[in-house]
Amino acid sequence: MVHILLCCGGGFSSSALAAKVKKDIQQYQLEDQFEIEFSPFMIAQEKMDRFDIVVCCPHLTYDVKKMVQNASPDKPIYILPPRMYGLIDIRELSTDVLDVLEMYGRSPINPVHFPGEENIMRVTRSVAYRRNKVLQKEAKKATSL
């Protein structure tokens, strides 16, 4: 079971998104695989020990970097791309979460980001990184035919 802490600035948008993700978890029968809670980012550090990963909304980039410098958290922190945050879907989120956990296991550096996504505000994908790469290859193949 992967325990996810979803954070935003005050906890308002993350509470709504966490509720949506919980419904998705039930709809896709993933209750044995994923659990999600929300929190304002300012108290995330107090809760981190109960979670496997902290997923943050895009506007927390500066706050995450500040926390990493000051507290050196021992859990992966992943900042969602803006479109993915707005259109949150457990199938896409869970794929990124599993990939981020694997990346962090190999190289525990926070915040965790995918190659080429160092500036999260420039990332335009609305699907998981892995799926986006597949879609890009298919589009490239289709245009070359």
Side-chain angles (χ1 to χ4, degrees):
M1 164 96 52
V2 177
H3 301 278
I4 305 166
L5 181 61
L6 181 64
C7 296
C8 69
F12 301 110
S13 64
S14 61
S15 66
L17 292 173
K20 184 204 179 302
V21 171
K22 284 180 183 182
K23 286 181 185 177
D24 286 353
I25 288 171
Q26 290 176 341
Q27 178 183 347
Y28 298 110
Q29 300 171 353
L30 300 170
E31 297 94 341
D32 294 340
Q33 297 173 42
F34 298 97
E35 180 180 77
I36 191 163
E37 282 187 37
F38 70 92
S39 174
F41 187 71
M42 69 179 99
I43 60 171
Q45 207 170 340
E46 299 167 20
K47 297 180 167 197
M48 273 188 190
D49 60 331
R50 298 187 349 241
F51 297 90
D52 301 306
I53 185 169
V54 178
V55 176
C56 297
C57 66
H59 68 269
L60 289 175
T61 300
Y62 174 77
D63 298 302
V64 168
K65 288 179 182 177
K66 191 174 171 183
M67 175 203 268
V68 168
Q69 283 180 334
N70 297 333
S72 300
D74 64 350
K75 303 285 175 154
I77 300 175
Y78 173 55
I79 303 170
L80 278 172
R83 288 186 184 170
M84 204 168 157
Y85 186 72
L87 301 171
I88 202 161
D89 178 287
I90 187 58
R91 295 167 296 179
E92 304 301 332
L93 176 64
S94 63
T95 300
D96 270 4
V97 162
L98 293 173
D99 290 347
V100 166
L101 288 168
E102 182 182 324
M103 290 166 54
Y104 186 82
R106 284 182 279 151
S107 179
I109 299 171
N110 270 315
V112 180
H113 57 79
F114 292 99
E117 294 191 350
E118 295 78 10
N119 183 346
I120 201 65
M121 297 311 281
R122 293 182 179 239
V123 177
T124 59
R125 67 180 168 89
S126 59
V127 296
Y129 181 82
R130 187 186 332 161
R131 184 162 173 236
N132 192 56
K133 287 295 182 189
V134 170
L135 293 173
Q136 286 177 341
K137 283 181 185 177
E138 289 172 358
K140 193 173 189 177
K141 187 177 179 181
T143 59
S144 67
L145 295 176

